[in-house]
Amino acid sequence: MKKFLSIILACLMLLAACTACSNSESTASGSDYPKGNINMIVNFSAGGGTDIAARAMADVAAKSLGTAISVTNVTGGTGTVGVAELANKKNDGYTIGVASLSPLSLLPWVLEVPYTPDNFEYICAFGQYGFGIVVGGDSPYNTLDELLEAAKTQEIKCGATGYPQPFAMDDLNEATGSQLSFVSYPSTTDMITDVLGGFIPCAVCDEASFTTYVEDGSMKLLASATDVPWACAPDVPTLMDLGYDINIMSYMGLCVPAGTDEAIVAKLREAFELACKDEGFIETIKNGNLVPTYMTGEEYEKLVYEKYEEYKVLLADVNAAQ
């Protein structure tokens, strides 16, 4: 009997030692990170504002982490394809990705996507998209009031590549009785072509893609649809300046798949916070006509969930009205 008890005791001691070893290895997985190169998924095309900002941030963060960060562009679905790709990756910290606000919070209520905000751990937000209302350079409309007055007597088509831009049209229609009609475009390039060619009277567009055309006069900015004027047209008012309580926004954020080791998440948060505050990165993002806007992982996560619930209600109302 004593021999049997001794064997049992020895087994229990061995099990405890193995458990302790396992826990130690789990902790070490975070402390030793990274042991190899990291891949960053960018959910928009190469050369665009999001891509340029993400690459600049990755270059700075790579120095802090002591490893290379390569970039893979995974486009489509207004940014949702890249986010879906990220959600399906192994949660070992070696795949990180740009997960902007609209694909996380809004588009799951518009498109069928294989993820929810629960599928991610949040590293930070690093920039804000600006939006505005533009017309062609030879348009008869020189102010927003002129456009809205015309839209009170006739339907005027207004282009956008996706939400949240149409919310600005809906809110203006409700506030003024205008008839701005949303025309969905599959790409920014297509919309630029149609505005320049006069095939569509106006568009709600992103600042990064349209600044060049506003600067050279081939398009006119009638109003900023975010809370600050466009850098290229500081004298053009915002919708809020004009008396409309309208401010559409979207942010660029960085995430990893859910379940990533807490120690790894903490290291990534520290490295990318430093990157977001780097003067070279800030200059790059400004040159890309984006607004440098840093949020901690916790702050960005809170915003994502708040908007997720807000858009759930808002889009249910929009669908019910159609």
Side-chain angles (χ1 to χ4, degrees):
M1 184 68 176
K2 289 182 179 179
K3 185 177 181 180
F4 177 73
L5 291 174
S6 297
I7 293 172
I8 294 295
L9 180 60
C11 289
L12 290 172
M13 292 175 66
L14 180 61
L15 179 62
C18 290
T19 301
C21 180
S22 174
N23 289 340
S24 175
E25 289 176 357
S26 175
T27 302
S29 68
S31 62
D32 292 348
Y33 173 85
K35 292 182 178 179
N37 294 346
I38 298 169
N39 182 49
M40 175 188 284
I41 295 172
V42 175
N43 60 331
F44 292 105
S45 59
T50 302
D51 177 69
I52 292 171
R55 288 174 187 268
M57 182 177 63
D59 287 344
V60 180
K63 296 175 184 177
S64 299
L65 292 166
T67 191
I69 301 178
S70 60
V71 173
T72 302
N73 296 90
V74 181
T75 63
T78 320
T80 60
V81 175
V83 176
E85 180 85 359
L86 175 64
N88 288 326
K89 291 296 184 180
K90 189 175 180 181
N91 56 359
D92 57 4
Y94 291 96
T95 302
I96 60 181
V98 176
S100 32
L101 182 63
S102 182
L104 285 172
S105 296
L106 193 158
L107 292 172
W109 303 115
V110 178
L111 305 172
E112 289 189 14
V113 295
Y115 61 81
T116 73
D118 294 339
N119 290 109
F120 306 96
E121 307 287 350
Y122 297 80
I123 304 303
C124 67
F126 59 94
Q128 182 180 359
Y129 298 100
F131 296 103
I133 301 173
V134 298
V135 295
D138 57 357
S139 169
Y141 311 120
N142 294 304
T143 67
L144 181 67
D145 282 344
E146 289 177 359
L147 173 66
L148 295 176
E149 282 301 315
K152 289 178 182 178
T153 59
Q154 60 180 318
E155 181 184 53
I156 293 181
K157 296 185 182 301
C158 191
T161 54
Y163 287 92
Q165 295 95 304
F167 291 142
M169 304 178 210
D170 294 339
D171 290 344
L172 284 171
N173 287 341
E174 183 176 348
T176 67
S178 57
Q179 303 173 68
L180 297 176
S181 176
F182 170 39
V183 177
S184 178
Y185 276 84
S187 73
T188 300
T189 302
D190 291 332
M191 190 164 72
I192 289 171
T193 299
D194 277 7
V195 173
L196 291 174
F199 299 108
I200 191 163
C202 65
V204 182
C205 62
D206 68 284
E207 181 177 359
S209 300
F210 281 74
T211 286
T212 299
Y213 305 100
V214 172
E215 287 179 330
D216 68 17
S218 56
M219 293 187 194
K220 293 181 285 190
L221 177 68
L222 301 187
S224 164
T226 44
D227 57 358
V228 293
W230 284 21
C232 68
D235 296 330
V236 176
T238 68
L239 290 175
M240 298 181 75
D241 290 335
L242 294 171
Y244 303 107
D245 187 19
I246 302 171
N247 175 20
I248 57 174
M249 62 177 183
S250 190
Y251 292 85
M252 293 170 283
L254 191 70
C255 293
V256 291
T260 300
D261 186 277
E262 290 182 5
I264 292 175
V265 171
K267 280 195 171 184
L268 288 170
R269 285 178 171 177
E270 181 180 3
F272 281 97
E273 179 179 359
L274 292 173
C276 288
K277 296 177 179 178
D278 178 79
E279 290 184 6
F281 165 73
I282 292 172
E283 186 67 20
T284 297
I285 200 170
K286 285 182 176 178
N287 288 340
N289 302 308
L290 298 163
V291 181
T293 307
Y294 172 73
M295 293 183 197
T296 66
E298 292 90 346
E299 290 170 339
Y300 187 49
E301 180 178 12
K302 181 181 178 183
L303 176 65
V304 166
Y305 277 96
E306 285 178 351
K307 289 296 179 182
Y308 186 72
E309 293 302 322
E310 178 183 322
Y311 287 134
K312 177 183 178 181
V313 175
L314 184 57
L315 286 166
D317 292 341
V318 169
N319 291 334
Q322 291 177 345

